[in-house]
Amino acid sequence: MTGLRLTRYQQLAEDMAEAIRGGLLRPGERLPSVRATCAQRGVSPSTVFQAYGHLESIGLIEARARSGFFVRATRRPVRAGPEVAPPRREATPVAISELVFDLLGSTRDADVVPLGSAFPAPHLFPFDELARSGARAMRRLKASQITGALTAGDEGLRQALRKRYTLQGVPLADNELIITNGAMEALNLCLQAVTRPGDVVVVESPTFYAALQALERLHLKAVEVATDPKEGVDIEALGELLARQKVAACWFMPTFQNPLGALMPTARRQALVALLAQHRVPLIEDDVYGELHAGTRRPPPAKAFDSEGGVLHCSSFSKCLAPGYRVGWAAAGRYAPQVERLKMMTSLATAIPPQLAVADYLALGGYDRHLRRLREALATQQRHALRLVERHFPAGTRVTRPEGGYFIWLELPPEVDALALHHRARACSISTAPGVLFSADHRFTHHLRLNVGHPGDVRFDGAIRTLGRLAVDLQAGR
Amino acid sequence: MTGLRLTRYQQLAEDMAEAIRGGLLRPGERLPSVRATCAQRGVSPSTVFQAYGHLESIGLIEARARSGFFVRATRRPVRAGPEVAPPRREATPVAISELVFDLLGSTRDADVVPLGSAFPAPHLFPFDELARSGARAMRRLKASQITGALTAGDEGLRQALRKRYTLQGVPLADNELIITNGAMEALNLCLQAVTRPGDVVVVESPTFYAALQALERLHLKAVEVATDPKEGVDIEALGELLARQKVAACWFMPTFQNPLGALMPTARRQALVALLAQHRVPLIEDDVYGELHAGTRRPPPAKAFDSEGGVLHCSSFSKCLAPGYRVGWAAAGRYAPQVERLKMMTSLATAIPPQLAVADYLALGGYDRHLRRLREALATQQRHALRLVERHFPAGTRVTRPEGGYFIWLELPPEVDALALHHRARACSISTAPGVLFSADHRFTHHLRLNVGHPGDVRFDGAIRTLGRLAVDLQAGR
């Protein structure tokens, strides 16, 4: 495990990216030449090439033959973000599950191209190394490790996680870390720890359907708050809401929000944590995509700004290292005792062998190297998929371009009903995740979440083309 | 995996045990000599010795030097079962958790002798073989096994389990088997699948505290039904209750009930399933100790008599093969779709590596051999522990003598408050599970569950002696 100090090329890339995002370098403008940059920064040409290569891979700049590097134009119409419309103000009971199961059931078929799936391509993960780690860990296993007081999880793994948090600038309190059966269990336990049936919980709009299902299962009411595809939850609207009604908790995803991909800016995160602390409302922070940032730095979680233990930070290794191992966790702040008790009551403890496999893998020190490769592969594939969308989807389609994760969110022209598109795609053996899944109020009827986490898979390219064609047909009333 | 056909020695032992239980052979009576039995049954002397050895190990007979084998006396006062008192008739909200956590928190300390723990000794389990199976399974692992449609669990393991059910005379319907994070998760999911907050659920009295905690967590009400230490739930009382009020489910443990160890006779199981089918009330059957029978045959679960899918049968490998692996399951009958959905919503799927380890181990064929050794070790230890209790506990103590599992249940003289005993024992670094843990109505104030699953552990022997001495002190008002 390595720290967060940036290498020279990362620092250079970061500075350039800041300059581009801040408007110092404008779309179409040429970047300083490699020679000039070497002289100016006192670095080697290979460092500059590495930095520029990285910026190219995340789509900020492009190389033009014999001309150098240029800031990419970002104002093509199709790239404009989807619009934000305010959701209903009233709390509503949730009844989304039937729809989710009905729609997602279709992704189980191996012949279907899973554009609607939530998992990236398996070949992106180091299964062989993990299996070796698992075999090694199990040979070393002592019976006492397996029958002791296990509810909070294996101490070695918890230690490794605590170290990682600390290196990322988020020191944890003693005993607030509880290993769970994936982030899904962590989120569900945290939600139950801070609510009672009938309570109101604030979610994003659109929001991850599993959050809506969790609310439904626990007989809670949802209030949705408008969420910007770039900036995340509308803090002002949230403030008004909190002044207006009693809220038991917020369940948000500030980093690469599912489905929007929104990355809430740091200042807004701070404001969010302060606002919730003021109202004593706990924040359940779903951060499963945090490690999959296209930029050089991992965005600090909201948890980083929490001094009162009000943020319950949930994550896992399922999306970035070890799907199927079901190793997740909650850093549950002042609610950790309740979460641990609920864990004990509902599943006693998390399976030990996968925890030991992951702990062994982390101890080997290759995790950050793996993550760098994974991020680059996902960023490259996002650019590729966006080009396909631009080329094949109807005019007027808007699409997000998240700075991490592996989803893009499409707003189709109003004439294209996403559920109709879903059914037509299904007939062509393509699954999609239509927008209605992501709202208790059945909004987002012409929206779609696409999984772009399958680099080099020609079936996915073909499926995106087909989907675009089907959308064009629907738009034309065919 | 072997079938259920008995070997010659098992058949002989079973016949003798029947004769003893049925009163054909009385306490103190001499068994037929080995020679006579050989002639009568046409078997070899070694078969007879094996059979008699087994009966001795489960405490039905005893060898006397140079005299042969004799039926053991069972009518010593201390061996009489505890009394059954009818519980309250009203449904009560449950608030047991604080007490459970408070008391069980004390078992975490490695210096404490865990007489109150729910786990048997780790050395009873084949951790090395399991680790080898795990290592082998993980090397063979394909990425597709890990990212597919996994909610119901690994297909190989499910296949092995289905085969085992079939060999035990309980064929399962397609797709009713769902692998879970231990039996605890299976039971919790099943309970949630058949209830809504405020519903009434019937439990045994005394009952496993985790059932009470699950009810509390889901905001359900408990009605307790008197449960006999030998025969299990009072069916007549249950029938009256069902006629009187609306009940959403029953959560029972017909086989080696925790804490009583009661083994409900076959005819009563049939009557129970018929009664519940008549009222369309689902039965959540907790069967985690079923494999730990001291007799030669595994008692058929209530599920065996269910033709309408009303029994949700839950079990795991945690108590008989692989603690810490958290591999359990529900055979959820007609409620399987709801249970699978809840599983998906709360923890998505069960970790794959431990499932593959167990499946590989089962495929090797040594499981039943391991179980036979485990059963003998537990039965021997129960006899040993009962002798210690007889010798060291106050006169008037009553104790169960279950035909399986590894708990005994003590009814202390009325002057001995079990909670006071618990606290005194705690000061001597001994944990216990006092009776009040096992009732929502705070009954069983002078009762105690003791873990006798630690063969050959002198610390346990010493702790039982100490506990007896402390009880004698309390009885004497010291």
Side-chain angles (χ1 to χ4, degrees):
Chain A
M1 212 160 66
T2 62
L4 275 190
R5 187 170 301 241
L6 297 183
T7 62
R8 285 183 172 184
Y9 96 83
Q10 286 173 326
Q11 189 59 58
L12 176 57
E14 181 75 3
D15 294 348
M16 290 289 182
E18 280 291 330
I20 292 167
R21 290 193 195 104
L24 288 175
L25 285 165
R26 280 140 188 281
E29 195 173 331
R30 188 173 178 277
L31 267 69
S33 73
V34 172
R35 200 150 76 178
T37 308
C38 289
Q40 194 183 2
R41 306 274 299 210
V43 295
S44 72
S46 80
T47 299
V48 181
F49 275 115
Q50 256 190 302
Y52 284 15
H54 175 76
L55 293 171
E56 192 184 10
S57 80
I58 64 172
L60 280 180
I61 66 170
E62 60 194 359
R64 294 188 195 153
R66 273 178 293 249
S67 312
F69 291 89
F70 292 80
V71 179
R72 289 195 75 193
T74 52
R75 267 177 264 139
R76 301 183 205 174
V78 79
R79 286 279 168 85
E83 282 184 10
V84 183
R88 275 216 306 240
R89 289 164 52 118
E90 301 80 37
T92 43
V94 186
I96 188 79
S97 279
E98 281 304 319
L99 193 58
V100 173
F101 288 119
D102 183 45
L103 293 169
L104 297 191
S106 65
T107 66
R108 296 195 178 193
D109 185 343
D111 293 334
V112 168
V113 185
L115 283 183
S117 142
F119 282 98
H123 71 75
L124 295 171
F125 299 105
F127 283 114
D128 290 346
E129 288 91 328
L130 276 169
R132 279 197 292 275
S133 278
R136 189 163 40 233
M138 290 191 70
R139 281 194 302 268
R140 275 200 315 256
L141 187 66
K142 287 187 222 82
S144 62
Q145 277 176 288
I146 238 164
T147 54
L150 297 172
T151 293
D154 177 69
E155 188 44 40
L157 178 62
R158 291 169 76 212
Q159 189 58 39
L161 279 170
R162 273 194 292 265
K163 187 171 159 198
R164 229 178 141 76
Y165 270 92
T166 302
L167 289 171
Q168 289 169 355
V170 192
L172 298 187
D174 278 355
N175 297 326
E176 72 167 297
L177 199 59
I178 296 140
I179 308 291
T180 57
N181 197 40
M184 187 71 86
E185 191 188 40
L187 292 160
N188 272 276
L189 294 176
C190 287
L191 184 64
Q192 182 158 22
V194 299
T195 59
R196 288 187 59 88
D199 280 354
V200 170
V201 175
V202 183
V203 296
E204 292 146 321
S205 177
T207 193
F208 178 33
Y209 48 80
L212 298 173
Q213 289 182 303
L215 266 61
E216 185 177 346
R217 188 178 66 84
L218 296 173
H219 309 284
L220 301 167
K221 290 188 196 126
V223 181
E224 305 186 359
V225 169
T227 302
D228 183 272
K230 276 196 185 329
E231 310 242 294
V233 153
D234 182 337
I235 308 258
E236 211 166 294
L238 178 63
E240 285 167 22
L241 174 68
L242 293 174
R244 199 168 69 227
Q245 77 170 112
K246 192 165 157 39
V247 161
C250 296
W251 172 327
F252 294 157
M253 204 169 186
T255 307
F256 314 133
Q257 198 260 1
N258 180 359
L260 290 175
L263 175 63
M264 187 182 255
T266 301
R268 279 172 80 112
R269 286 169 195 244
Q270 286 178 289
L272 171 66
V273 173
L275 175 67
L276 294 179
Q278 179 197 328
H279 290 271
R280 290 289 285 182
V281 171
L283 169 62
I284 299 168
E285 181 178 23
D286 178 356
D287 195 17
V288 295
Y289 302 110
E291 294 285 8
L292 303 181
H293 49 92
T296 41
R297 268 184 232 262
R298 188 199 202 289
K303 177 87 180 168
F305 309 109
D306 172 33
S307 57
E308 302 184 15
V311 177
L312 301 91
H313 183 253
C314 300
S315 191
S316 83
F317 290 106
S318 302
K319 304 294 170 60
C320 51
L321 176 66
Y325 279 56
R326 311 301 304 134
V327 179
W329 65 88
R334 64 175 182 261
Y335 303 96
Q338 289 95 309
V339 172
E340 187 173 348
R341 286 174 173 208
L342 282 173
K343 168 73 182 166
M344 191 189 226
M345 286 159 73
T346 51
S347 69
L348 197 62
T350 301
I352 288 290
Q355 293 186 62
L356 297 180
V358 170
D360 182 277
Y361 178 89
L362 293 180
L364 295 179
Y367 183 38
D368 284 296
R369 199 166 50 240
H370 155 70
L371 283 176
R372 279 194 295 275
R373 279 196 301 261
L374 176 60
R375 289 171 195 138
E376 298 255 347
L378 292 176
T380 304
Q381 180 61 14
Q382 189 202 81
R383 278 194 301 146
H384 177 67
L386 285 172
R387 277 197 299 269
L388 289 173
V389 168
E390 284 172 27
R391 202 167 300 150
H392 298 286
F393 271 69
T397 299
R398 292 154 172 261
V399 62
T400 59
R401 188 185 173 175
E403 296 176 56
Y406 47 84
F407 295 130
I408 57 175
W409 175 251
L410 272 61
E411 181 185 335
L412 301 163
E415 313 86 74
V416 184
D417 177 67
L419 215 46
L421 179 59
H422 172 82
H423 291 304
R424 289 203 185 180
R426 198 55 201 79
C428 303
S429 292
I430 297 166
S431 86
T432 69
V436 287
L437 290 183
F438 301 94
S439 162
D441 293 348
H442 308 290
R443 308 172 71 221
F444 308 108
T445 52
H446 56 290
H447 299 69
L448 211 58
R449 184 193 75 184
L450 290 191
N451 181 328
V452 296
H454 290 253
D457 188 327
V458 292
R459 291 194 320 152
F460 272 73
D461 292 0
I464 291 175
R465 276 194 297 269
T466 303
L467 203 60
R469 217 168 42 231
L470 294 172
V472 169
D473 282 357
L474 279 167
Q475 188 187 31
R478 282 193 294 267
Chain B
M1 213 158 67
T2 62
L4 277 192
R5 187 171 301 240
L6 298 183
T7 61
R8 285 180 173 186
Y9 97 83
Q10 287 174 325
Q11 188 60 58
L12 176 57
E14 181 76 4
D15 294 347
M16 290 290 182
E18 281 291 328
I20 294 167
R21 289 192 196 107
L24 288 175
L25 286 165
R26 281 142 188 279
E29 195 173 330
R30 189 173 177 276
L31 267 70
S33 73
V34 172
R35 201 153 75 179
T37 308
C38 287
Q40 195 185 359
R41 307 273 302 209
V43 296
S44 70
S46 79
T47 299
V48 181
F49 275 114
Q50 255 189 302
Y52 283 14
H54 176 76
L55 292 172
E56 192 185 10
S57 79
I58 63 173
L60 280 180
I61 66 171
E62 59 193 1
R64 293 189 197 154
R66 274 177 293 250
S67 314
F69 291 89
F70 292 79
V71 179
R72 291 194 74 195
T74 52
R75 267 177 266 141
R76 303 183 205 174
V78 78
R79 284 281 167 83
E83 281 184 12
V84 182
R88 275 217 306 242
R89 290 164 52 116
E90 300 81 35
T92 42
V94 186
I96 188 78
S97 278
E98 281 305 317
L99 194 57
V100 173
F101 289 119
D102 184 44
L103 293 170
L104 297 191
S106 64
T107 66
R108 297 197 176 190
D109 186 342
D111 292 333
V112 168
V113 185
L115 283 183
S117 142
F119 282 97
H123 71 75
L124 296 171
F125 301 104
F127 282 114
D128 289 347
E129 288 91 328
L130 277 168
R132 279 197 292 275
S133 278
R136 190 163 40 233
M138 291 192 70
R139 281 195 301 268
R140 277 201 312 257
L141 185 68
K142 287 188 222 82
S144 62
Q145 275 176 288
I146 240 164
T147 53
L150 297 172
T151 293
D154 176 68
E155 188 43 40
L157 178 62
R158 291 168 76 212
Q159 189 59 39
L161 280 170
R162 273 193 292 265
K163 188 172 158 198
R164 228 177 141 76
Y165 270 91
T166 302
L167 290 171
Q168 289 170 353
V170 192
L172 298 187
D174 279 356
N175 297 325
E176 73 167 296
L177 199 60
I178 297 139
I179 308 292
T180 58
N181 197 41
M184 188 70 87
E185 192 190 38
L187 291 161
N188 272 278
L189 295 176
C190 287
L191 184 63
Q192 182 158 23
V194 300
T195 60
R196 288 186 60 87
D199 280 354
V200 170
V201 174
V202 183
V203 296
E204 292 145 321
S205 177
T207 192
F208 177 33
Y209 49 78
L212 297 173
Q213 290 182 303
L215 266 62
E216 185 178 344
R217 189 179 63 84
L218 296 173
H219 308 285
L220 301 167
K221 289 185 196 129
V223 181
E224 304 186 1
V225 169
T227 302
D228 183 271
K230 275 194 182 335
E231 309 242 294
V233 152
D234 182 336
I235 308 260
E236 210 167 293
L238 178 63
E240 284 166 22
L241 175 67
L242 294 174
R244 198 168 71 226
Q245 78 171 113
K246 192 166 156 39
V247 160
C250 295
W251 172 326
F252 293 158
M253 206 166 183
T255 307
F256 314 132
Q257 198 259 2
N258 180 358
L260 291 175
L263 176 63
M264 186 181 256
T266 302
R268 278 172 81 113
R269 286 168 196 245
Q270 286 178 290
L272 172 66
V273 172
L275 175 67
L276 294 179
Q278 180 197 328
H279 289 271
R280 291 289 286 182
V281 171
L283 170 61
I284 298 167
E285 182 179 22
D286 179 356
D287 194 18
V288 295
Y289 302 110
E291 295 284 8
L292 303 181
H293 48 92
T296 41
R297 268 182 232 262
R298 188 199 202 291
K303 178 87 180 169
F305 310 107
D306 172 33
S307 56
E308 301 184 15
V311 177
L312 301 92
H313 183 253
C314 300
S315 191
S316 83
F317 290 106
S318 302
K319 304 293 170 60
C320 51
L321 177 66
Y325 279 57
R326 312 300 305 134
V327 178
W329 65 88
R334 63 175 183 258
Y335 303 97
Q338 289 94 307
V339 173
E340 186 173 348
R341 285 174 174 208
L342 281 173
K343 169 73 182 166
M344 191 190 226
M345 284 157 73
T346 51
S347 69
L348 197 62
T350 301
I352 288 290
Q355 293 186 63
L356 297 181
V358 171
D360 182 277
Y361 178 88
L362 293 180
L364 294 179
Y367 184 38
D368 285 296
R369 199 166 50 241
H370 154 70
L371 283 176
R372 278 193 297 274
R373 278 195 302 260
L374 176 60
R375 287 171 196 138
E376 299 252 347
L378 292 176
T380 304
Q381 180 62 14
Q382 190 202 81
R383 278 194 302 146
H384 177 66
L386 285 173
R387 277 196 300 267
L388 290 173
V389 169
E390 284 171 28
R391 201 166 303 151
H392 299 285
F393 272 68
T397 298
R398 293 155 170 260
V399 62
T400 60
R401 189 185 172 176
E403 297 176 54
Y406 46 84
F407 295 128
I408 57 174
W409 176 250
L410 272 61
E411 182 185 334
L412 301 163
E415 313 86 75
V416 184
D417 178 68
L419 214 46
L421 179 59
H422 172 82
H423 291 304
R424 288 205 186 177
R426 195 57 200 79
C428 303
S429 292
I430 298 167
S431 85
T432 69
V436 287
L437 290 183
F438 301 93
S439 163
D441 293 349
H442 307 291
R443 307 173 73 221
F444 308 107
T445 51
H446 55 291
H447 299 71
L448 211 57
R449 185 194 74 184
L450 290 192
N451 181 329
V452 296
H454 290 252
D457 189 327
V458 292
R459 291 195 319 152
F460 273 72
D461 291 0
I464 291 175
R465 275 193 297 269
T466 303
L467 204 59
R469 217 166 41 231
L470 294 171
V472 169
D473 283 355
L474 279 167
Q475 189 187 30
R478 281 194 292 269

